[in-house]
Every structure is written in C-alpha cells, then in structure tokens.
Amino acid sequence: MRLYLVRHLAPQVAPGVCYGRTDLAVDPGLQALALPALRQRLPAGAPMFSSPLRRCAGLAQALGGAAVRYDPRLAELDFGDWEMRRWDDIERAAIDAWVADMAGYRPGGGESVTDMARRVSAFYADCMRSHTSAAIVICHAGAIRLLLARARGLAPEAMALEAAQRPHAIAYGETVTIDCV
C-alpha cells in the first residue's frame, strides 16, 4: 500500500505558541491557493482519512468531500495545560523534564509521545488490513513522523523515541509518500 501523508496548512496561531490538540482554523484564502497543487500530487479515488481537527478536516473536506473518514487517532499530541501558551512562558523545569524523557513525559499533563504512537500505530495497522493500493492521510507533523517510523516496522515505544529525537522538518502542506509492506 502507498500512503500519501499530507500535513495540514499553517494554522491561524501566533508564532511561538504551543498547540497540539487545540482546534485551530486555517486561512481559507491560503487553503484555496494550495488546493490545485495538492490535487495534482494525490491519487484520484483513493480512500481519504483525516484528523478531526479543523486544520486537517477542512483541507480533507475540500479535497475529498463526503468520502473523508475522520479518525481521532490521527490528532496531534495533547499538550494539556501547555496548549495555547507561549513556549517562552512554560516553566523551564517542565520543558527540561520533557527533554529528559521525550517519549514518556506528558507535557502539560496531556499525553506522552508513546501514547500518541500507540494510537497512530493502531491506525496504521487498520490501514494495512484494508487491502487497498493507496490511501490519503491528512494529519499533523507529529502523526506523519510516527507513521514514517511505524512503516519501518518499529513498535510504538521505538516509534516514540525516534520521532522525539529527529528534528521536525515537515512543511505545512507537504506531502510525504511511503510504500508500506
């Protein structure tokens, strides 16, 4: 199966703000400009899955209409009470604790990267059982990084460690294609 992983477009949020599960919108004009190029990169008629968060769901709706399947396992990491706070305003000791245990720590009392890896891994397993040749997944950079690790055969704990240790380099609106076996 070939997975087309599409990161949502830039959400409407101030720079330097921590957001994960917060349901943020995307500028409709920006989305309209991005749609033609995205449509050219994606296979017509492939099943489409999306995070239910607006920044993904709106893009999926514009690309796939009523055929989109929204899956909460594709949502971004829940940063708990860090959500919508400036990174500079989060206590240094809390950030240091997260850095010391990137896979297991629950930032802001939310969920750990390992928790997220477990739900993303379950989504991946369901996709692999579907026996379709391709699928489109509209989601977040965190979910994409975890799906890439899962496609390499890693278990959730190893997925979390790899995703947490690799620098984030997935642009808004970028499509990452992986062949899964």
Side-chain angles (χ1 to χ4, degrees):
M1 169 185 275
R2 179 170 280 177
L3 289 179
Y4 294 83
L5 310 175
V6 181
R7 185 179 183 201
H8 61 81
L9 301 171
Q12 294 178 315
V13 64
V17 170
C18 173
Y19 65 92
R21 281 280 176 97
T22 301
D23 200 10
L24 300 168
V26 169
D27 180 310
L30 177 66
Q31 182 166 291
L33 289 173
L35 286 173
L38 280 170
R39 284 190 179 109
Q40 288 181 345
R41 290 185 290 213
L42 301 174
M48 184 178 297
F49 301 90
S50 175
S51 161
L53 298 179
R54 281 188 298 168
R55 57 192 183 266
C56 295
L59 180 58
Q61 185 66 35
L63 289 168
V68 179
R69 290 175 237 167
Y70 300 99
D71 195 317
R73 296 175 296 182
L74 294 170
E76 187 57 279
L77 186 74
D78 180 354
F79 284 96
D81 64 16
W82 289 10
E83 292 276 340
M84 299 309 293
R85 290 179 59 194
R86 292 192 44 75
W87 284 104
D88 292 342
D89 293 340
I90 297 169
E91 299 78 20
R92 186 72 218 170
I95 291 176
D96 290 344
W98 188 30
V99 169
D101 182 13
M102 291 292 287
Y105 186 79
R106 296 175 185 278
E111 75 180 321
S112 71
V113 178
T114 300
D115 293 335
M116 184 179 176
R118 286 187 187 110
R119 61 181 163 80
V120 169
S121 182
F123 169 82
Y124 180 90
D126 286 349
C127 276
M128 295 305 105
R129 285 191 288 273
S130 73
H131 303 294
T132 61
S133 61
I136 301 165
V137 181
I138 312 295
C139 58
H140 311 270
I144 291 172
R145 291 163 60 198
L146 290 166
L147 286 165
L148 290 167
R150 179 62 187 90
R152 287 192 295 282
L154 299 179
E157 293 75 15
M159 290 165 57
L161 285 173
E162 181 173 306
Q165 293 171 351
R166 285 184 178 244
H168 167 21
I170 302 166
Y172 292 116
E174 183 175 344
T175 302
V176 178
T177 305
I178 54 174
D179 290 313
C180 309
V181 290

Short mmCIF file of all heavy atoms in Angstrom, two decimals, residues 105-157:
data_model
loop_
_atom_site.label_atom_id
_atom_site.label_comp_id
_atom_site.label_asym_id
_atom_site.label_seq_id
_atom_site.Cartn_x
_atom_site.Cartn_y
_atom_site.Cartn_z
N TYR A 105 7.24 11.38 28.94
CA TYR A 105 6.73 12.53 29.68
C TYR A 105 5.41 13.02 29.08
O TYR A 105 5.23 12.99 27.86
CB TYR A 105 7.78 13.65 29.65
CG TYR A 105 7.43 14.84 30.51
CD1 TYR A 105 7.63 14.81 31.88
CD2 TYR A 105 6.92 16.00 29.93
CE1 TYR A 105 7.32 15.91 32.67
CE2 TYR A 105 6.62 17.11 30.71
CZ TYR A 105 6.82 17.06 32.09
OH TYR A 105 6.51 18.15 32.85
N ARG A 106 4.52 13.48 29.93
CA ARG A 106 3.23 14.01 29.50
C ARG A 106 3.26 15.54 29.64
O ARG A 106 2.96 16.07 30.71
CB ARG A 106 2.10 13.44 30.35
CG ARG A 106 1.96 11.94 30.20
CD ARG A 106 0.90 11.38 31.15
NE ARG A 106 0.86 9.95 31.08
CZ ARG A 106 0.21 9.25 30.15
NH1 ARG A 106 -0.44 9.88 29.21
NH2 ARG A 106 0.24 7.93 30.16
N PRO A 107 3.64 16.23 28.56
CA PRO A 107 3.76 17.69 28.66
C PRO A 107 2.43 18.34 29.05
O PRO A 107 1.39 18.01 28.48
CB PRO A 107 4.21 18.12 27.27
CG PRO A 107 3.92 16.98 26.38
CD PRO A 107 3.90 15.75 27.21
N GLY A 108 2.49 19.18 30.04
CA GLY A 108 1.30 19.89 30.50
C GLY A 108 0.23 18.96 31.07
O GLY A 108 -0.92 19.35 31.18
N GLY A 109 0.61 17.73 31.41
CA GLY A 109 -0.35 16.77 31.91
C GLY A 109 -1.18 16.14 30.80
O GLY A 109 -2.15 15.42 31.07
N GLY A 110 -0.81 16.38 29.55
CA GLY A 110 -1.54 15.81 28.40
C GLY A 110 -1.14 14.37 28.16
O GLY A 110 -1.14 13.56 29.08
N GLU A 111 -0.77 14.08 26.93
CA GLU A 111 -0.40 12.70 26.61
C GLU A 111 1.08 12.63 26.24
O GLU A 111 1.67 13.62 25.81
CB GLU A 111 -1.27 12.13 25.49
CG GLU A 111 -0.96 12.64 24.11
CD GLU A 111 -1.86 12.05 23.04
OE1 GLU A 111 -2.19 10.86 23.06
OE2 GLU A 111 -2.22 12.83 22.14
N SER A 112 1.66 11.46 26.41
CA SER A 112 3.05 11.26 26.04
C SER A 112 3.15 10.94 24.55
O SER A 112 2.16 10.54 23.92
CB SER A 112 3.65 10.11 26.86
OG SER A 112 3.11 8.87 26.44
N VAL A 113 4.35 11.07 24.00
CA VAL A 113 4.57 10.70 22.61
C VAL A 113 4.32 9.20 22.43
O VAL A 113 3.81 8.77 21.41
CB VAL A 113 5.98 11.12 22.13
CG1 VAL A 113 6.21 10.69 20.68
CG2 VAL A 113 6.16 12.63 22.25
N THR A 114 4.63 8.40 23.45
CA THR A 114 4.34 6.97 23.37
C THR A 114 2.84 6.72 23.30
O THR A 114 2.39 5.85 22.53
CB THR A 114 4.98 6.21 24.55
OG1 THR A 114 6.40 6.41 24.51
CG2 THR A 114 4.68 4.72 24.49
N ASP A 115 2.04 7.46 24.06
CA ASP A 115 0.58 7.33 23.97
C ASP A 115 0.12 7.63 22.53
O ASP A 115 -0.69 6.89 21.96
CB ASP A 115 -0.13 8.31 24.91
CG ASP A 115 0.08 8.01 26.37
OD1 ASP A 115 0.35 6.85 26.72
OD2 ASP A 115 -0.04 8.96 27.18
N MET A 116 0.64 8.70 21.97
CA MET A 116 0.28 9.07 20.61
C MET A 116 0.74 8.00 19.63
O MET A 116 0.02 7.64 18.70
CB MET A 116 0.88 10.43 20.25
CG MET A 116 0.47 10.92 18.89
SD MET A 116 1.19 12.54 18.54
CE MET A 116 0.64 12.78 16.86
N ALA A 117 1.93 7.46 19.84
CA ALA A 117 2.46 6.42 18.95
C ALA A 117 1.56 5.18 18.97
O ALA A 117 1.35 4.56 17.92
CB ALA A 117 3.89 6.06 19.35
N ARG A 118 1.02 4.84 20.11
CA ARG A 118 0.13 3.67 20.19
C ARG A 118 -1.12 3.88 19.34
O ARG A 118 -1.56 2.98 18.62
CB ARG A 118 -0.25 3.40 21.64
CG ARG A 118 0.87 2.78 22.44
CD ARG A 118 0.41 2.35 23.84
NE ARG A 118 1.56 1.92 24.61
CZ ARG A 118 2.09 2.57 25.64
NH1 ARG A 118 1.54 3.71 26.05
NH2 ARG A 118 3.13 2.09 26.26
N ARG A 119 -1.71 5.07 19.42
CA ARG A 119 -2.94 5.28 18.63
C ARG A 119 -2.63 5.39 17.14
O ARG A 119 -3.38 4.87 16.31
CB ARG A 119 -3.76 6.45 19.16
CG ARG A 119 -3.14 7.79 19.16
CD ARG A 119 -4.13 8.82 19.76
NE ARG A 119 -3.49 10.04 20.14
CZ ARG A 119 -3.17 11.03 19.31
NH1 ARG A 119 -3.43 10.93 18.02
NH2 ARG A 119 -2.59 12.12 19.76
N VAL A 120 -1.50 6.02 16.78
CA VAL A 120 -1.11 6.11 15.38
C VAL A 120 -0.77 4.72 14.83
O VAL A 120 -1.12 4.38 13.70
CB VAL A 120 0.05 7.12 15.20
CG1 VAL A 120 0.66 7.03 13.81
CG2 VAL A 120 -0.43 8.54 15.49
N SER A 121 -0.11 3.90 15.64
CA SER A 121 0.21 2.54 15.23
C SER A 121 -1.05 1.73 14.98
O SER A 121 -1.13 0.94 14.02
CB SER A 121 1.08 1.87 16.29
OG SER A 121 1.45 0.57 15.89
N ALA A 122 -2.07 1.90 15.81
CA ALA A 122 -3.35 1.20 15.61
C ALA A 122 -4.01 1.64 14.31
O ALA A 122 -4.57 0.81 13.57
CB ALA A 122 -4.27 1.44 16.80
N PHE A 123 -3.95 2.93 14.00
CA PHE A 123 -4.48 3.42 12.73
C PHE A 123 -3.74 2.76 11.57
O PHE A 123 -4.36 2.28 10.61
CB PHE A 123 -4.36 4.95 12.65
CG PHE A 123 -4.64 5.47 11.27
CD1 PHE A 123 -5.95 5.66 10.84
CD2 PHE A 123 -3.61 5.74 10.39
CE1 PHE A 123 -6.21 6.10 9.55
CE2 PHE A 123 -3.86 6.19 9.09
CZ PHE A 123 -5.17 6.38 8.68
N TYR A 124 -2.41 2.73 11.64
CA TYR A 124 -1.59 2.14 10.59
C TYR A 124 -1.97 0.67 10.37
O TYR A 124 -2.13 0.22 9.23
CB TYR A 124 -0.11 2.27 10.96
CG TYR A 124 0.85 1.70 9.96
CD1 TYR A 124 1.35 2.49 8.93
CD2 TYR A 124 1.27 0.37 10.03
CE1 TYR A 124 2.25 1.97 8.00
CE2 TYR A 124 2.15 -0.15 9.11
CZ TYR A 124 2.64 0.65 8.10
OH TYR A 124 3.52 0.14 7.19
N ALA A 125 -2.11 -0.07 11.45
CA ALA A 125 -2.47 -1.49 11.35
C ALA A 125 -3.82 -1.65 10.65
O ALA A 125 -3.98 -2.54 9.80
CB ALA A 125 -2.50 -2.13 12.74
N ASP A 126 -4.78 -0.80 10.98
CA ASP A 126 -6.08 -0.87 10.31
C ASP A 126 -5.96 -0.56 8.82
O ASP A 126 -6.60 -1.21 7.99
CB ASP A 126 -7.08 0.10 10.96
CG ASP A 126 -7.57 -0.40 12.31
OD1 ASP A 126 -7.32 -1.57 12.66
OD2 ASP A 126 -8.21 0.42 13.03
N CYS A 127 -5.13 0.40 8.46
CA CYS A 127 -4.90 0.71 7.04
C CYS A 127 -4.32 -0.49 6.31
O CYS A 127 -4.73 -0.81 5.20
CB CYS A 127 -3.93 1.90 6.89
SG CYS A 127 -4.72 3.49 7.02
N MET A 128 -3.35 -1.14 6.93
CA MET A 128 -2.70 -2.28 6.27
C MET A 128 -3.67 -3.44 6.07
O MET A 128 -3.53 -4.21 5.13
CB MET A 128 -1.48 -2.73 7.06
CG MET A 128 -0.34 -1.72 7.13
SD MET A 128 0.23 -1.17 5.50
CE MET A 128 -0.49 0.47 5.42
N ARG A 129 -4.67 -3.56 6.92
CA ARG A 129 -5.67 -4.63 6.77
C ARG A 129 -6.70 -4.31 5.69
O ARG A 129 -7.47 -5.18 5.30
CB ARG A 129 -6.38 -4.88 8.10
CG ARG A 129 -5.53 -5.65 9.10
CD ARG A 129 -6.36 -6.12 10.28
NE ARG A 129 -6.73 -5.05 11.17
CZ ARG A 129 -5.98 -4.61 12.19
NH1 ARG A 129 -4.81 -5.17 12.44
NH2 ARG A 129 -6.39 -3.64 12.96
N SER A 130 -6.73 -3.08 5.21
CA SER A 130 -7.77 -2.67 4.26
C SER A 130 -7.55 -3.22 2.85
O SER A 130 -8.47 -3.25 2.06
CB SER A 130 -7.87 -1.14 4.21
OG SER A 130 -6.75 -0.61 3.53
N HIS A 131 -6.34 -3.60 2.52
CA HIS A 131 -6.01 -4.19 1.21
C HIS A 131 -6.30 -3.27 0.03
O HIS A 131 -6.63 -3.74 -1.04
CB HIS A 131 -6.71 -5.54 1.03
CG HIS A 131 -6.39 -6.52 2.12
ND1 HIS A 131 -5.13 -7.03 2.30
CD2 HIS A 131 -7.16 -7.04 3.10
CE1 HIS A 131 -5.13 -7.85 3.34
NE2 HIS A 131 -6.35 -7.86 3.85
N THR A 132 -6.21 -1.97 0.23
CA THR A 132 -6.31 -1.05 -0.90
C THR A 132 -4.89 -0.71 -1.35
O THR A 132 -3.93 -0.89 -0.60
CB THR A 132 -7.05 0.25 -0.50
OG1 THR A 132 -6.31 0.90 0.53
CG2 THR A 132 -8.46 -0.03 -0.04
N SER A 133 -4.76 -0.25 -2.56
CA SER A 133 -3.41 0.03 -3.08
C SER A 133 -2.86 1.37 -2.62
O SER A 133 -1.64 1.57 -2.62
CB SER A 133 -3.41 -0.03 -4.61
OG SER A 133 -4.30 0.95 -5.13
N ALA A 134 -3.74 2.29 -2.24
CA ALA A 134 -3.30 3.61 -1.81
C ALA A 134 -4.33 4.23 -0.87
O ALA A 134 -5.51 3.90 -0.93
CB ALA A 134 -3.09 4.53 -3.01
N ALA A 135 -3.85 5.13 -0.03
CA ALA A 135 -4.73 5.91 0.84
C ALA A 135 -4.09 7.27 1.08
O ALA A 135 -2.87 7.41 1.08
CB ALA A 135 -4.97 5.19 2.18
N ILE A 136 -4.94 8.26 1.27
CA ILE A 136 -4.52 9.62 1.57
C ILE A 136 -4.81 9.88 3.04
O ILE A 136 -5.91 9.58 3.51
CB ILE A 136 -5.26 10.64 0.69
CG1 ILE A 136 -4.99 10.34 -0.80
CG2 ILE A 136 -4.87 12.07 1.05
CD1 ILE A 136 -5.95 11.04 -1.74
N VAL A 137 -3.83 10.45 3.74
CA VAL A 137 -3.99 10.73 5.17
C VAL A 137 -3.65 12.20 5.40
O VAL A 137 -2.52 12.62 5.18
CB VAL A 137 -3.06 9.82 6.02
CG1 VAL A 137 -3.24 10.12 7.51
CG2 VAL A 137 -3.30 8.35 5.72
N ILE A 138 -4.64 12.97 5.82
CA ILE A 138 -4.45 14.39 6.12
C ILE A 138 -4.28 14.49 7.64
O ILE A 138 -5.20 14.18 8.40
CB ILE A 138 -5.66 15.24 5.68
CG1 ILE A 138 -6.10 14.92 4.25
CG2 ILE A 138 -5.36 16.74 5.88
CD1 ILE A 138 -5.11 15.26 3.18
N CYS A 139 -3.10 14.91 8.06
CA CYS A 139 -2.86 14.92 9.50
C CYS A 139 -1.80 15.95 9.89
O CYS A 139 -1.62 16.95 9.21
CB CYS A 139 -2.50 13.51 10.00
SG CYS A 139 -1.05 12.77 9.22
N HIS A 140 -1.10 15.70 10.96
CA HIS A 140 -0.18 16.64 11.59
C HIS A 140 1.25 16.13 11.47
O HIS A 140 1.48 14.93 11.27
CB HIS A 140 -0.55 16.81 13.06
CG HIS A 140 -2.01 17.08 13.25
ND1 HIS A 140 -2.53 18.35 13.27
CD2 HIS A 140 -3.07 16.24 13.39
CE1 HIS A 140 -3.84 18.28 13.42
NE2 HIS A 140 -4.19 17.01 13.50
N ALA A 141 2.21 17.01 11.66
CA ALA A 141 3.62 16.62 11.56
C ALA A 141 3.96 15.50 12.54
O ALA A 141 4.69 14.56 12.19
CB ALA A 141 4.53 17.83 11.79
N GLY A 142 3.43 15.56 13.75
CA GLY A 142 3.70 14.51 14.73
C GLY A 142 3.20 13.16 14.26
O GLY A 142 3.90 12.15 14.36
N ALA A 143 1.99 13.12 13.73
CA ALA A 143 1.43 11.86 13.24
C ALA A 143 2.22 11.36 12.03
O ALA A 143 2.47 10.16 11.90
CB ALA A 143 -0.04 12.04 12.88
N ILE A 144 2.64 12.25 11.16
CA ILE A 144 3.43 11.85 9.99
C ILE A 144 4.75 11.24 10.43
O ILE A 144 5.16 10.17 9.94
CB ILE A 144 3.66 13.04 9.03
CG1 ILE A 144 2.34 13.44 8.36
CG2 ILE A 144 4.72 12.69 7.98
CD1 ILE A 144 2.40 14.71 7.54
N ARG A 145 5.42 11.87 11.37
CA ARG A 145 6.70 11.33 11.85
C ARG A 145 6.52 9.95 12.46
O ARG A 145 7.33 9.04 12.26
CB ARG A 145 7.32 12.30 12.84
CG ARG A 145 7.79 13.58 12.13
CD ARG A 145 8.04 14.74 13.05
NE ARG A 145 9.06 14.46 14.03
CZ ARG A 145 9.21 15.17 15.15
NH1 ARG A 145 8.41 16.18 15.40
NH2 ARG A 145 10.16 14.87 16.00
N LEU A 146 5.43 9.76 13.20
CA LEU A 146 5.16 8.45 13.80
C LEU A 146 4.78 7.42 12.74
O LEU A 146 5.19 6.26 12.82
CB LEU A 146 4.07 8.58 14.86
CG LEU A 146 4.51 9.33 16.12
CD1 LEU A 146 3.30 9.69 16.97
CD2 LEU A 146 5.52 8.52 16.92
N LEU A 147 4.00 7.80 11.74
CA LEU A 147 3.65 6.87 10.67
C LEU A 147 4.89 6.45 9.89
O LEU A 147 5.02 5.28 9.49
CB LEU A 147 2.61 7.50 9.74
CG LEU A 147 1.19 7.57 10.30
CD1 LEU A 147 0.33 8.53 9.49
CD2 LEU A 147 0.57 6.18 10.37
N LEU A 148 5.82 7.36 9.67
CA LEU A 148 7.07 7.01 9.00
C LEU A 148 7.85 5.97 9.81
O LEU A 148 8.39 5.01 9.25
CB LEU A 148 7.93 8.25 8.75
CG LEU A 148 7.39 9.23 7.70
CD1 LEU A 148 8.14 10.55 7.76
CD2 LEU A 148 7.50 8.61 6.31
N ALA A 149 7.89 6.16 11.12
CA ALA A 149 8.59 5.20 11.98
C ALA A 149 7.88 3.85 11.98
O ALA A 149 8.51 2.80 11.93
CB ALA A 149 8.69 5.76 13.41
N ARG A 150 6.55 3.87 12.00
CA ARG A 150 5.79 2.61 12.00
C ARG A 150 5.98 1.86 10.69
O ARG A 150 6.08 0.63 10.67
CB ARG A 150 4.30 2.91 12.24
CG ARG A 150 3.41 1.70 12.24
CD ARG A 150 3.79 0.72 13.34
NE ARG A 150 3.05 -0.50 13.25
CZ ARG A 150 3.44 -1.59 12.56
NH1 ARG A 150 4.56 -1.57 11.87
NH2 ARG A 150 2.70 -2.68 12.55
N ALA A 151 6.05 2.59 9.57
CA ALA A 151 6.25 1.95 8.26
C ALA A 151 7.60 1.25 8.18
O ALA A 151 7.77 0.32 7.38
CB ALA A 151 6.11 2.98 7.15
N ARG A 152 8.54 1.66 9.02
CA ARG A 152 9.84 0.98 9.08
C ARG A 152 9.82 -0.22 10.03
O ARG A 152 10.85 -0.82 10.30
CB ARG A 152 10.93 1.98 9.50
CG ARG A 152 11.28 2.97 8.39
CD ARG A 152 12.55 3.76 8.67
NE ARG A 152 12.43 4.64 9.81
CZ ARG A 152 11.81 5.82 9.82
NH1 ARG A 152 11.23 6.26 8.73
NH2 ARG A 152 11.79 6.56 10.90
N GLY A 153 8.64 -0.54 10.55
CA GLY A 153 8.48 -1.72 11.37
C GLY A 153 8.69 -1.52 12.86
O GLY A 153 8.73 -2.49 13.61
N LEU A 154 8.79 -0.28 13.30
CA LEU A 154 9.03 -0.03 14.72
C LEU A 154 7.76 -0.19 15.55
O LEU A 154 6.65 0.12 15.10
CB LEU A 154 9.59 1.38 14.92
CG LEU A 154 10.93 1.67 14.24
CD1 LEU A 154 11.35 3.11 14.51
CD2 LEU A 154 12.00 0.69 14.67
N ALA A 155 7.94 -0.67 16.76
CA ALA A 155 6.84 -0.77 17.74
C ALA A 155 6.60 0.62 18.33
O ALA A 155 7.47 1.50 18.22
CB ALA A 155 7.22 -1.77 18.83
N PRO A 156 5.44 0.84 18.97
CA PRO A 156 5.11 2.19 19.46
C PRO A 156 6.18 2.86 20.32
O PRO A 156 6.45 4.05 20.14
CB PRO A 156 3.81 1.97 20.24
CG PRO A 156 3.15 0.85 19.51
CD PRO A 156 4.29 -0.07 19.12
N GLU A 157 6.80 2.13 21.24
CA GLU A 157 7.82 2.75 22.10
C GLU A 157 9.02 3.23 21.27
O GLU A 157 9.53 4.33 21.49
CB GLU A 157 8.26 1.78 23.20
CG GLU A 157 7.17 1.46 24.21
CD GLU A 157 6.09 0.50 23.70
OE1 GLU A 157 6.28 -0.17 22.65
OE2 GLU A 157 5.02 0.44 24.33
#
